[in-house]
C-alpha cells in the first residue's frame, strides 16, 4: 500500500505551487531559472559572543526541489546564489544565506519535496 501521508503531502505541495506562489528568478553566476515560489520568513536567534542575543529575520522562498534546475540538472541552493523578485515596478535582489553557522536552506517537509531557502535583501532597482 502506498504511503497515504506522502501522497497527501504531494497533493498539498501541488496546490501550494499552483495557487500560492509568484514567479521569481533563481541565479547562480550566469545561469538562471524561473521558479514558482511561496514567500515566507524565519526568525533566527544569534548570540553575538558577548552575551547579547540578536533576532534576525530572513525572507524565505519555498520552491519545489524538482523545479530548481540549472544546466539541465536538479540542484540544491548554495550560499551566494541570488533570487530576484519583481513587485510593482521594482526588482528586489536577495542573496541566499543565513546568519552565523545556520544552513542557508533546509527541506520544508519530511519527503524532501520543498526547499525553504533563507535570504537577505542586498539590493533593488526600478524595472
Amino acid at each position: 500500500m502506498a504511503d497515504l501521508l506522502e501522497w497527501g503531502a504531494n497533493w498539498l505541495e501541488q496546490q501550494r505551487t499552483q495557487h500560492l506562489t509568484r514567479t521569481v528568478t533563481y541565479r547562480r553566476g550566469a545561469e538562471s531559472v524561473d521558479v514558482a515560489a511561496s514567500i515566507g520568513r524565519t526568525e533566527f536567534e544569534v548570540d553575538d559572543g558577548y552575551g547579547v542575543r540578536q533576532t534576525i529575520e530572513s525572507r524565505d522562498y519555498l520552491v519545489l526541489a524538482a523545479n530548481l534546475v540549472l544546466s539541465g540538472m536538479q540542484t540544491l541552493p548554495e550560499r551566494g546564489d541570488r533570487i530576484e523578485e519583481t513587485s510593482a515596478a521594482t526588482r528586489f535582489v536577495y542573496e541566499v544565506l543565513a546568519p552565523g553557522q545556520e544552513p542557508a536552506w533546509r527541506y520544508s517537509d519530511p519527503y524532501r519535496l520543498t526547499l525553504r531557502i533563507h535570504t537577505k535583501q542586498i539590493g533593488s532597482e526600478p524595472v
Side-chain angles (χ1 to χ4, degrees), residues 18-93:
Q18 185 175 1
H19 300 291
L20 302 171
T21 59
R22 62 179 60 182
T23 301
V24 300
T25 302
Y26 191 95
R27 291 193 185 282
R28 178 176 297 153
E31 299 180 63
S32 68
V33 63
D34 289 341
V35 293
S38 296
I39 310 301
R41 68 185 184 94
T42 299
E43 286 187 1
F44 294 95
E45 280 198 19
V46 179
D47 186 332
D48 70 356
Y50 298 100
V52 177
R53 298 201 51 88
Q54 299 177 3
T55 301
I56 300 171
E57 183 176 304
S58 77
R59 183 172 184 88
D60 295 347
Y61 292 90
L62 284 81
V63 301
L64 289 176
N67 291 347
L68 191 56
V69 176
L70 296 171
S71 296
M73 296 186 62
Q74 186 175 334
T75 189
L76 293 172
E78 293 180 2
R79 284 182 185 263
D81 290 352
R82 305 257 167 116
I83 295 177
E84 297 174 358
E85 175 187 348
T86 301
S87 180
T90 305
R91 178 180 301 120
F92 297 94
V93 180

